[in-house]
């Protein structure tokens, strides 16, 4: 049950990230990076070498090791479980392969609404995705209470777009064709995904996840009208259903929504039952704060490419970012993931700059 599984986890020693997510006072601004486990780390490349990506995702021991690697190097205030958003389409019965140099590839993507019949109608989430739950429980033990562990899922529209495009895309025109041509089938698919995502996120909490992030990475390709019809209602539904269920079990697990490039939706996202709104770098910190009116905590949003700058410059950029967001109800992060060619030393400089500047700013308040 939800409660019993928590009894024997090590005591959490750094809850800065959880307090910031709830808008409470902290001694420093917490920081973590999307894709903090990744190819920019030599130890990651060595560990992953010669192994299939999704086989790695299916090994709890491998996921645990890859989640812990960045924590051994840097003073991150949170860890995110190593996995991928595309494990959900796999659970629905689709074949997904990680092709070197190309990224995730679906040999048989959905083409027409009839193809929805190929998807598993009633997914047994515990059976199909139990390996992720095992990875979370193992990692929660092995992390020894150092920092909280974040679970995650892709959001319905982002997953739908992969399932129709069959992989990465610049235009997402195949998936958007469905929105214009097959609105009913689109809603049917989004509803199916939402039901699985809710169960998946609740399973992650039962397994030991202490916060949840929902990635709507492909929000930017939708305009405001389509976002309001095909993304926002499902994002809201996910948070409301997960929160309601957790409340009944007496649990409060912060939820983060990251809708990349959806700056037009920042007000709506701040009123969609999430505790934290994650931001990409195309929005100015101060205006994000004004537009969300202190209703939620904010996370983000340094341009990942700022990590190519010299360390002193990174420190200045971080200071400005902290001044823009303020130190309360704020979680520092990049506006998207770390890229494979980035210098780990500069990631370390980013983390240290957040801690150092924010400590000074908080002391002065
Ligand atoms: O072999 C490898 O290591 C491939 C690189 C890689 C990694 C490290 C992929 C392939 N996925 C991951 C792990 C991953 N994916 C994590 C782990 C934890 C961490 O962040 O440290 C997370 C949270 C994800 C989530 C994910 N996968 C997203 C959402 C976040 C985002 O980047 O917007 C998306 C869109 C994916 C799909 C995906 N998986 C991998 C790639 C290269 C892609 C993007 C492909 C594309 O559409 O261009």
């Amino acid at each position: 049950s939800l409660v019993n599984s928590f009894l024997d986890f090590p005591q959490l020693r750094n809850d800065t990230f959880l307090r910031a997510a709830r808008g409470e006072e902290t001694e420093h601004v917490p920081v973590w990076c999307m894709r903090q486990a990744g190819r920019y780390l030599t130890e990651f490349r060595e560990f992953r070498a010669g192994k299939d990506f999704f086989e790695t995702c299916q090994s709890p021991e491998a996921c645990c090791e890859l989640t812990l690697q960045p924590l051994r190097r840097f003073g991150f205030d949170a860890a995110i479980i190593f996995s991928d958003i595309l494990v959900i389409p796999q659970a629905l019965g689709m074949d997904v392969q990680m092709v070197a140099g190309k990224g995730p590839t679906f040999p048989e993507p959905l083409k027409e609404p009839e193809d929805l019949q190929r998807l598993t109608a009633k997914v047994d989430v515990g059976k199909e995705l139990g390996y992720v739950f095992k990875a979370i429980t193992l990692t929660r033990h092995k992390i020894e209470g150092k920092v909280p562990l974040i679970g995650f899922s892709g959001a319905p529209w982002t997953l739908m777009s992969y399932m129709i495009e069959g992989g990465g895309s610049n235009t997402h025109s195949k998936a958007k064709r469905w929105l214009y041509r097959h609105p009913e089938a689109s809603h049917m698919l989004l509803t199916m995904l939402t039901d699985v995502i809710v169960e998946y996120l609740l399973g992650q909490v039962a397994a030991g996840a202490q916060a949840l992030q929902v990635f709507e990475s492909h929000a930017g390709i939708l305009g405001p009208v389509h976002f309001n019809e095909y993304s926002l209602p499902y994002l809201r539904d996910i948070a409301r259903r997960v929160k309601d269920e957790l409340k009944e079990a007496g649990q409060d697990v912060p939820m983060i929504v990251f809708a990349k490039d959806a700056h037009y939706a920042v007000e709506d996202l701040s009123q969609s039952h999430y505790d934290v709104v994650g931001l990409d770098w195309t929005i100015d910190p101060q205006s994000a704060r004004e537009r969300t009116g202190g209703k939620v905590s904010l996370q983000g949003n340094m341009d990942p490419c700022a990590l190519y700058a010299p360390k002193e410059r990174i420190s200045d950029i971080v200071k400005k970012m902290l001044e823009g967001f303020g130190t309360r109800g704020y979680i520092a992060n990049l506006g998207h993931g770390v890229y494979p060619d980035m210098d780990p030393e500069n990631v370390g400089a980013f983390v240290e700059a957040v801690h150092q500047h924010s400590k000074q700013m908080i002391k002065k308040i």
Side-chain angles (χ1 to χ4, degrees), residues 35-37 44 48 53 80 83-84 98 162 215 217 336:
R35 290 283 167 91
Q36 64 190 29
F44 179 95
R48 284 267 304 106
F53 179 80
I80 183 161
S83 187
D84 198 82
M98 197 59 73
Y162 275 113
F215 287 93
S217 302
H336 203 193

Side-chain angles (χ1 to χ4, degrees), residues 94-108:
M94 293 188 82
D95 185 12
V96 190
Q97 293 158 13
M98 197 59 73
V99 179
K102 192 170 165 216
T105 304
F106 293 64
E108 291 172 282

Side-chain angles (χ1 to χ4, degrees), residues 14 84 136 156 226 249 253 274 351:
N14 173 4
D84 198 82
I136 287 173
H226 272 169
V253 174
Y274 290 86
V351 173

